[in-house]
């Protein structure tokens, strides 16, 4: 109730600042005051570092988005806030506009490229952020790869994106690079690696990952010298970094996280629930047409009272 009341007050304040037909200029914000306020309001410990961005236009007239970059050692997280033109009324949460899909902000950020399966013009697009060492990612991968083509071959496209959580999974980033070193030569090689590693996750470690990668390169009739050079020189690193940055911009905190036509879901969703969600999306209102359990794998930003 308190959050609803706060959001309502922020909306009331903002309406007083918006002139009909005119979008106000982004407000100037006191970043030191913001940090003090947010550190107390959200309960972030002194170990958390803040990097507060400038207000930028949002999809909702009269509100401006402020991205707050949080970090604690190697753990990084972006949080989105919205500020009214007065510079003081803040919304912590999601802003919806009845004239748009409720997932408009996500859809603006989500990619349409990447390793994928399913038709490019499918009415449902699933963008999946995953980690090759994450056990829940393995469960979801098997469900999606096995079941989706059977029931929704013409209706669903899945786009894979990397979000290796290196603080918990020591060989996850190397595996992400391996997948690109293979897939950049042949898309089928990426999926061969994807399916194999999730099926044999318990057999892989930092010491044998390269050997497993090269074995798949040979099986897929790739240029093995190019794959080896890609691995040795980290030629796929920039692609992984770009995917990680995208995930943080979307405020991804755990793996797997996936977006069904912009709707955020997390965890190893069982097939019956995933199928029901897809059916629900296939029958969504026409005005919302989309464009063509345990926290094993989560970014942790420490707050007061948390371990």
């Amino acid at each position: 109730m308190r959050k609803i009341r706060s959001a309502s007050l922020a909306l009331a304040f903002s309406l007083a600042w918006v002139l009909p037909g005119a979008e106000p200029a982004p407000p100037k914000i006191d970043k030191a005051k913001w940090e003090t306020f947010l550190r107390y309001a959200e309960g972030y410990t002194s170990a958390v570092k803040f990097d507060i961005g400038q207000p930028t236009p949002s999809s909702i007239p009269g509100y401006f988005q402020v991205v707050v970059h949080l970090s604690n050692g190697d753990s990084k997280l972006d949080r989105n806030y919205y500020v009214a033109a007065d510079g003081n009324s803040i919304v912590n949460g999601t802003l919806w506009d009845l004239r748009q899909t409720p997932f408009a902000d996500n859809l603006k950020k989500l990619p349409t490229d990447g390793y994928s399966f399913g038709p490019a013009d499918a009415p449902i697009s699933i963008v999946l952020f995953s980690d090759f060492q994450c056990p829940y990612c393995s469960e979801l991968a098997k469900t999606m790869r096995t079941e989706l083509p059977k029931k929704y071959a013409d209706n669903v496209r899945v786009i894979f994106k990397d979000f290796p959580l290196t603080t918990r999974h020591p060989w996850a980033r190397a595996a992400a690079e391996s997948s690109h070193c293979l897939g950049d030569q042949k898309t089928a090689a990426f999926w061969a690696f994807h399916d194999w590693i999730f099926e044999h996750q318990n057999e892989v470690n930092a010491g044998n990952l390269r050997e497993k990668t090269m074995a798949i390169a040979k099986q897929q009739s790739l240029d093995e010298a190019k794959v080896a050079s890609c691995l040795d020189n980290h030629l796929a690193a920039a692609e992984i970094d770009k995917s990680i940055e995208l995930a943080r911009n979307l405020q991804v905190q755990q793996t797997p996280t996936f977006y069904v036509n912009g709707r955020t879901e997390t965890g190893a969703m069982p097939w019956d629930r995933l199928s029901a969600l897809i059916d629900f999306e296939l029958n969504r209102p026409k005005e919302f047409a989309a464009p063509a359990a345990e926290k094993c794998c989560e970014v942790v930003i420490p707050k007061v009272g948390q371990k």
Side-chain angles (χ1 to χ4, degrees):
M1 178 62 71
R2 182 172 56 190
K3 289 185 177 179
I4 295 174
R5 186 180 298 116
S6 298
S8 298
L9 285 173
L11 178 59
F13 278 123
S14 70
L15 290 176
W17 284 83
V18 181
L19 297 175
E23 179 70 19
K28 293 182 179 180
I29 61 173
D30 184 334
K31 293 186 179 181
K33 187 175 182 179
W34 268 64
E35 179 175 341
T36 300
F37 183 90
L38 292 176
R39 191 180 291 280
Y40 177 67
E42 301 280 19
Y44 291 121
T45 69
S46 59
V48 178
K49 294 182 178 180
F50 279 67
D51 179 10
I52 300 173
Q54 294 292 343
T56 59
S58 76
S59 59
I60 310 296
Y63 279 97
F64 299 86
Q65 185 179 52
V66 177
V67 180
V68 177
H69 309 279
L70 304 169
S71 62
N72 177 50
D74 292 333
S75 296
K76 297 180 180 180
L77 176 67
D78 287 354
R79 290 291 307 276
N80 290 331
Y81 297 88
Y82 298 89
V83 62
D86 64 1
N88 294 310
S89 305
I90 302 171
V91 174
N92 171 17
T94 303
L95 282 175
W96 286 340
D97 185 330
L98 291 176
R99 298 163 296 182
Q100 303 178 15
T101 169
F103 313 117
D105 279 346
N106 283 347
L107 290 169
K108 287 180 180 179
K109 300 171 186 175
L110 288 169
T112 57
D113 64 330
Y115 298 116
S116 67
F117 64 91
D121 61 348
I124 294 181
S125 174
I126 298 177
V127 179
L128 167 66
F129 287 88
S130 190
D131 171 319
F132 284 119
Q133 198 175 346
C134 162
Y136 304 110
C137 297
S138 175
E139 291 180 31
L140 183 63
K142 293 173 186 176
T143 297
M144 286 190 172
R145 291 285 285 164
T146 302
E147 303 297 338
L148 285 177
K150 292 179 183 177
K151 187 174 181 181
Y152 302 105
D154 297 326
N155 291 317
V156 177
R157 181 192 185 202
V158 176
I159 302 172
F160 183 96
K161 289 295 176 181
D162 297 284
F163 191 54
L165 300 178
T166 54
T167 56
R168 290 178 177 269
H169 300 146
W171 53 263
R173 172 154 186 134
E177 291 190 23
S178 291
S179 71
H180 284 259
C181 288
L182 296 167
D184 287 351
Q185 281 197 49
K186 187 168 72 174
T187 299
F190 169 85
W191 289 111
F193 178 88
H194 171 281
D195 295 347
W196 185 90
I197 204 164
F198 277 136
E199 184 65 37
H200 300 85
Q201 205 173 53
N202 293 334
E203 302 171 23
V204 181
N205 56 58
N208 66 16
L209 177 61
R210 181 190 177 89
E211 175 189 343
K212 304 295 186 183
T213 302
M214 294 308 299
I216 292 174
K218 184 175 183 179
Q219 293 168 5
Q220 293 291 314
S221 302
L222 303 184
D223 185 327
E224 294 177 49
K226 284 186 177 180
V227 173
S229 176
C230 180
L231 295 173
D232 293 339
N233 296 292
H234 301 283
L235 300 183
E239 294 178 80
I240 310 305
D241 290 340
K242 182 179 178 181
S243 184
I244 292 172
E245 184 63 27
L246 173 62
R248 287 176 178 156
N249 190 242
L250 285 159
Q251 301 186 72
V252 173
Q253 297 184 52
Q254 66 184 75
T255 55
T257 293
F258 57 103
Y259 297 84
V260 181
N261 279 359
R263 182 191 301 271
T264 309
E265 301 290 347
T266 62
M269 185 178 287
W271 172 241
D272 59 341
R273 285 182 54 206
L274 181 58
S275 179
L277 177 58
I278 292 171
D279 289 339
F280 178 83
E281 188 63 27
L282 284 171
N283 292 286
R284 64 183 179 270
K286 293 180 180 179
E287 58 266 34
F288 297 139
E294 292 177 67
K295 299 180 181 178
C296 144
C297 314
E298 180 176 8
V299 176
V300 177
I301 296 294
K303 292 186 179 182
V304 175
Q306 289 185 343
K307 294 183 179 181

